[in-house]
Amino acid sequence: MTATPAPRNQQASLDSLIRHTTDNAVSWITLNRPEAMNALTWDQRERVITLLGEASADPGVRAVVLTATGKGFCAGADLRGAPTSTERVPGDVARTIKQGAQRLVAAVLDCEKPVIAAVNGTAAGIGAHLAFACDLVIAAEQARFIEVFVRRGLVPDGGGTYLLPRLIGPQRAKELMFFGDSLPAADAARMGLVNRVVPADELEKTAREWAERLASGPTRAVAMTKQLVNASLESDRATAFAAEAAAQEINMTTADANEGVTAFIERRSPSYRGR
């Protein structure tokens, strides 16, 4: 599915709702619709997907931070602004999910650069899955995660039934999805859904430190490590071992791998260039 370019004035508005900057080789994607708890409309979602794709392809970007403004990280999907048709036909709902929320989550999982979620507040529904799809999750103390679907009589979508069992096991995943209770950041960390919980005023600083540390590392090795770990959850041992060996074979042709080995032999700190 290819998004139609927005008119110039609409694009300017979109740029203010999805802020984007690149600093020290880190792409910062900030959801900026605090009055709606950063619920994502169709065009905002497409913008995030585009930015993640651009980060993958840009050698000048070596890490990504996904964060938001206000009290909410993301309240899920806001269907206003989505393309409409005059009549719903069988398959429309499934198609909307596949082309929408699932594409968003896949864009995070498939991004060739490590993606950090800096969760400032409530992450509900698709917003929670957006965070869980990230490689590392840092949460402010007041952050909450809510599998809100059951409260609306809905089945979890946007990759939730794929992500949660792999992150915390089927029993805990079912508990969150069956009851739809608000999960505090500290409890999410104990479950393994969050890497680090920090005071709100330290969230950006911590995310920046982690992202810049990643951005100074061997970018291609990190990308292949991400791919291997994600694929291992669906592989048998023989397949995982073969993929690991093949990845190392490819990785050893990179400049950063040569630099890392040379620096070790010369007993100095390596200087990686992301190549």
Side-chain angles (χ1 to χ4, degrees):
M1 176 180 176
T2 303
T4 302
R8 184 171 300 176
N9 59 343
Q10 185 180 339
Q11 183 64 45
S13 175
L14 186 57
D15 289 343
S16 70
L17 296 171
I18 304 294
R19 295 179 183 170
H20 178 244
T21 59
T22 301
D23 184 25
N24 288 334
V26 178
S27 173
W28 287 79
I29 302 172
T30 303
L31 312 184
N32 184 40
R33 195 170 167 236
E35 71 281 0
M37 297 288 283
N38 295 304
L40 286 171
T41 62
W42 181 89
D43 55 346
Q44 292 160 19
R45 183 198 69 222
E46 292 300 312
R47 178 62 175 155
V48 173
I49 292 172
T50 296
L51 290 171
L52 289 165
E54 290 175 351
S56 280
D58 186 351
V61 172
R62 298 170 68 183
V64 178
V65 175
L66 184 60
T67 191
T69 61
K71 295 181 179 180
F73 174 72
C74 179
D78 184 339
L79 298 180
R80 288 175 294 182
T84 59
S85 59
T86 56
E87 181 182 357
R88 176 182 291 178
V89 298
D92 277 354
V93 172
R95 191 177 306 106
T96 297
I97 292 168
K98 291 174 183 178
Q99 295 181 349
Q102 289 178 349
R103 281 180 58 246
L104 175 63
V105 168
V108 178
L109 293 170
D110 295 340
C111 183
E112 295 181 25
K113 310 300 166 60
V115 183
I116 297 173
V119 183
N120 54 300
T122 299
I126 303 305
H129 302 165
L130 180 61
F132 297 153
C134 293
D135 303 298
L136 299 169
V137 182
I138 306 170
E141 291 173 338
Q142 71 269 26
R144 298 287 187 274
F145 300 87
I146 309 172
E147 286 296 316
V148 75
F149 300 92
V150 72
R151 299 186 185 183
R152 312 288 183 258
L154 301 174
V155 172
D157 61 43
T161 57
Y162 173 88
L163 292 167
L164 278 165
R166 285 164 171 77
L167 290 169
I168 58 176
Q171 258 67 31
R172 288 189 178 274
K174 289 172 189 174
E175 179 183 346
L176 295 180
M177 292 178 171
F178 287 0
F179 294 115
D181 292 336
S182 177
L183 184 69
D187 290 345
R190 281 190 285 270
M191 283 187 176
L193 289 169
V194 169
N195 295 88
R196 185 77 55 85
V197 178
V198 299
D201 59 0
E202 294 182 17
L203 181 65
E204 182 178 344
K205 174 178 176 289
T206 305
R208 187 175 297 278
E209 288 173 352
W210 282 28
E212 291 183 354
R213 184 176 176 186
L214 287 169
S216 66
T219 307
R220 296 311 305 161
V222 172
M224 283 187 275
T225 301
K226 171 176 178 172
Q227 184 180 36
L228 286 169
V229 172
N230 288 349
S232 74
L233 298 171
E234 301 166 45
S235 300
D236 57 45
R237 185 182 69 181
T239 302
F241 276 24
E244 182 180 86
Q248 192 70 288
E249 177 78 23
I250 295 168
N251 183 62
M252 287 303 296
T253 67
T254 67
D256 279 349
N258 290 329
E259 165 63 10
V261 172
T262 301
F264 174 75
I265 294 171
E266 296 177 353
R267 298 184 178 182
R268 59 176 175 80
S269 297
S271 178
Y272 296 122
R273 298 185 296 112
R275 301 292 196 278

